[in-house]
């Protein structure tokens, strides 16, 4: 079956611009996660959705970052007034049901470069 | 969160076994030990997990020390496709559902042909 997909695969933008990154989870997965990975580092948690609601957004670095999942499937990570420090790979993962310790399935990521 | 310590890098030859260590001296009784790996230009993928007993699956084996303060991921015959960053992660079974994965820097495994 299809895995987690993310679009675009690469995004180049200018400082101050607005960007949207999209995640299509595995069909039927109710849990969805966003992570951010800087070069040479492990992924860092941003936000977790269970269904349509953000159950844990404690990893969002500031109020320029926002994510939605209006129908409990596709999610969009939105970054306002981008800064050069936002350059990273943004990873999305989904899991079947938000059960403790269940496996998370990752997409290939979106590589964001802010010039 | 309990912390894990892994070597920054390791090297192996193709078709030889690889033992990737992880130290987690502050592990609690409810922490499971999970391993994920990340191939170049891909997202992380699940490898294996265990609590106390050694575990085997089609990808690897996990050997857990008796005191649970360390563990070793074993790839029985490394292939070039196993070249990746390997992450050892503790996950508390007592957490609420939807627990995040807390990644360290992992071990970069190089496999030589």
């Amino acid at each position: 079956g299809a895995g987690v997909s993310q679009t675009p695969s690469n995004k180049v933008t200018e400082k101050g611009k607005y960007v949207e990154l999209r995640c299509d989870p595995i069909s039927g997965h109710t849990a969805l996660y966003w992570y951010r990975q800087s070069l040479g580092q492990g992924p860092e948690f941003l936000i977790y959705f269970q269904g349509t609601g953000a159950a844990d957004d404690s990893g969002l670095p500031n109020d320029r970052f926002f994510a939605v999942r209006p129908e409990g499937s596709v999610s969009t990570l939105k970054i306002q007034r981008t800064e050069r420090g936002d350059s990273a790979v943004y990873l999305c993962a989904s899991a079947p049901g938000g059960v403790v310790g269940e496996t998370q399935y990752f997409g290939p990521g979106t590589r964001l470069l802010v010039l | 969160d309990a912390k894990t310590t892994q070597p920054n890098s390791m090297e192996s030859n193709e078709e030889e076994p690889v033992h990737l260590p992880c130290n987690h001296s502050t592990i609690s009784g409810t922490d499971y030990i999970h391993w994920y790996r990340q191939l170049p230009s891909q997202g992380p993928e699940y490898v294996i997990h265990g609590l106390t007993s050694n575990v085997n699956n089609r990808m690897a084996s996990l050997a857990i020390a008796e005191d649970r303060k360390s563990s070793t991921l074993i790839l029985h015959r490394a292939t070039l496709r196993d070249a990746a960053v390997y992450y050892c992660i503790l996950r508390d079974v007592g957490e609420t559902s939807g627990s995040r994965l807390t990644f360290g820097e992992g071990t970069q495994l190089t496999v030589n042909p």
Side-chain angles (χ1 to χ4, degrees), chain A:
Chain A
V4 177
S5 62
Q6 294 185 244
T7 54
S9 53
N10 292 280
K11 175 71 176 179
V12 181
T13 191
E14 293 178 344
K15 181 175 177 296
K17 299 289 188 184
Y18 168 83
V19 296
E20 289 189 352
L21 311 179
R22 176 187 169 108
C23 172
D24 281 81
I26 293 172
S27 178
H29 281 193
T30 61
L32 186 145
Y33 304 78
W34 284 98
Y35 294 83
R36 178 170 71 172
Q37 185 171 26
S38 300
L39 194 63
Q41 305 294 316
E44 179 185 28
F45 170 79
L46 295 176
I47 187 169
Y48 155 59
F49 287 89
Q50 180 57 41
T52 60
D56 181 359
D57 65 357
S58 61
L60 295 177
N62 52 59
D63 60 6
R64 295 187 298 106
F65 288 75
F66 189 71
V68 295
R69 195 186 184 199
E71 298 178 357
S73 178
V74 170
S75 177
T76 304
L77 179 65
K78 308 182 181 195
I79 311 174
Q80 298 177 322
R81 304 182 305 280
T82 53
E83 300 177 356
R84 292 194 180 88
D86 299 335
S87 297
V89 176
Y90 289 82
L91 294 161
C92 175
S94 70
V99 173
V100 172
E102 64 183 351
T103 297
Q104 295 182 19
Y105 298 85
F106 283 80
T110 293
R111 188 175 303 273
L112 175 66
L113 177 60
V114 181
L115 299 177

Side-chain angles (χ1 to χ4, degrees), chain B residues 19 27 29 34 37 39 46 52 56-57 72 78 84-86 93 95 109 111-112:
Chain B
H19 292 232
I27 192 170
H34 286 245
R37 72 179 185 180
L39 279 65
Y46 168 81
T52 56
N56 300 292
N57 67 21
T72 302
V85 179
Y86 287 78
V93 70
E95 288 177 347
L109 175 65
V111 180
N112 299 313

Side-chain angles (χ1 to χ4, degrees), chain B residues 39-108:
Chain B
L39 279 65
S41 300
Q42 295 188 27
E45 64 175 350
Y46 168 81
V47 178
I48 200 167
H49 77 280
L51 183 63
T52 56
S53 303
N54 295 345
V55 184
N56 300 292
N57 67 21
R58 66 175 180 80
M59 292 180 70
S61 296
L62 178 59
I64 301 172
E66 194 169 338
D67 64 5
R68 302 209 325 125
K69 293 183 185 299
S70 65
S71 61
T72 302
L73 180 70
I74 302 166
L75 308 179
H76 295 286
R77 290 185 66 202
T79 69
L80 296 178
R81 196 193 173 278
D82 291 321
V85 179
Y86 287 78
Y87 297 99
C88 170
I89 300 167
L90 301 183
R91 303 189 74 184
D92 186 351
V93 70
E95 288 177 347
T96 57
S97 64
S99 62
R100 67 184 69 178
L101 292 171
T102 301
F103 292 85
E105 294 185 1
T107 297
Q108 173 69 63

